[in-house]
Amino acid sequence: LAKTTQPISMDSYEGQEVNITCSHNNIATNDYITWYQQFPSQGPRFIIQGYKTKVTNEVASLFIPADRKSSTLSLPRVSLSDTAVYYCLVVPLAGTASKLTFGTGTRLQVTL
Amino acid sequence: DTAVSQTPKYLVTQMGNDKSIKCEQNLGHDTMYWYKQDSKKFLKIMFSYNNKELIINETVPNRFSPKSPDKAHLNLHINSLELGDSAVYFCASSNRDWKNIQYFGAGTRLSVL
């Protein structure tokens, strides 16, 4: 199972673009990358998912280089309400659910 | 309407007791899960269950057991509670299997005294 490494925390000012990078050096060929967001006292919520290159939705963009050993979640023009923990998750198409682990995530703090 | 709901939100109990946490999803999903989030925010899957199979994380003590009365419910039973069981427990569900997007409940904070 691909282990992920993310910065423990990041700080940003409101209105800035925030990029959170996740390292997954031993990602397998058929694995894909998923990001979740967790607000205090809530469960994680799906943000975006991708396999390679770039994926964009109404919330964020996900950049995955050709070697797929890392991925970057990009949040455009963050607001105070984007303060949360962001989890990078490598989802393997092979294996079992018992190996699914979210890791410790990146705590993003947005201030004025 | 809440898609995945858990009760209770908070649970405080003594060591050695047996307790249950309930989970219901109204998304029509096939698979439900239980996760444990410890004090360091490390989120780890405990169980994955659908009508075909139960997948158990081998690190989960057998004091923990999931019970599913029907497709929309997956309850978590914990016997002989220990101090180390204190954590936030999340229920989740997904369409088809665990490789798909998961929808989480708000969590149950369990405190064992």
Side-chain angles (χ1 to χ4, degrees):
Chain A
L1 181 73
K3 179 182 176 181
T4 60
T5 303
Q6 304 174 234
I8 294 175
S9 63
M10 294 181 69
D11 295 310
S12 177
Y13 292 108
E14 200 174 39
Q16 290 187 327
E17 178 184 78
V18 170
N19 296 308
I20 305 174
T21 297
C22 178
S23 172
H24 28 79
N25 289 319
N26 59 340
I27 190 169
T29 302
N30 293 326
D31 296 350
Y32 53 95
I33 299 131
T34 306
W35 285 79
Y36 284 79
Q37 174 191 55
Q38 184 178 22
F39 295 115
S41 300
Q42 293 187 27
R45 181 181 71 135
F46 171 83
I47 302 176
I48 198 166
Q49 183 180 90
Y51 181 77
K52 61 180 179 180
T53 61
K54 177 183 175 182
V55 179
T56 297
N57 62 21
E58 65 278 5
V59 176
S61 294
L62 179 59
F63 298 92
I64 305 169
D67 67 6
R68 303 198 331 118
K69 293 184 182 299
S70 66
S71 58
T72 299
L73 175 73
S74 181
L75 305 172
R77 297 181 299 283
V78 294
S79 65
L80 296 177
S81 62
D82 292 316
T83 294
V85 178
Y86 293 82
Y87 292 95
C88 165
L89 181 67
V90 172
V91 181
L93 292 186
T96 70
S98 64
K99 301 299 184 184
L100 209 59
T101 301
F102 278 62
T104 55
T106 298
R107 183 174 299 275
L108 173 65
Q109 179 68 53
V110 181
T111 55
L112 293 173
Chain B
D1 287 343
T2 303
V4 180
S5 59
Q6 301 177 222
T7 55
K9 189 169 178 63
Y10 300 97
L11 183 55
V12 182
T13 188
Q14 299 287 333
M15 270 197 309
N17 284 349
D18 301 337
K19 290 293 179 184
S20 296
I21 306 172
K22 295 184 177 181
C23 179
E24 176 182 4
Q25 55 97 2
N26 62 6
L27 297 168
H29 285 165
D30 302 304
T31 306
M32 296 183 72
Y33 314 85
W34 278 104
Y35 285 82
K36 179 181 180 180
Q37 187 170 45
D38 61 25
S39 58
K40 296 183 178 181
K41 303 301 183 184
F42 196 73
L43 189 62
K44 194 174 198 179
I45 194 168
M46 301 174 69
F47 302 102
S48 168
Y49 178 80
N50 60 31
N51 61 356
K52 296 179 182 177
E53 66 178 341
L54 168 65
I55 298 174
I56 303 171
N57 186 320
E58 63 272 13
T59 64
V60 175
N62 56 15
R63 298 181 294 102
F64 291 77
S65 59
K67 299 276 194 279
S68 181
D70 55 57
K71 182 180 170 181
H73 297 83
L74 184 67
N75 303 323
L76 182 64
H77 295 267
I78 316 170
N79 294 326
S80 302
L81 278 157
E82 300 177 358
L83 293 177
D85 297 333
S86 295
V88 181
Y89 292 84
F90 289 99
C91 176
S93 71
S94 71
N95 199 17
R96 294 202 301 276
D97 61 29
W98 57 277
K99 304 181 187 70
N100 292 290
I101 296 168
Q102 297 190 24
Y103 295 81
F104 285 79
T108 296
R109 182 174 295 277
L110 171 65
S111 298
V112 182
L113 307 178

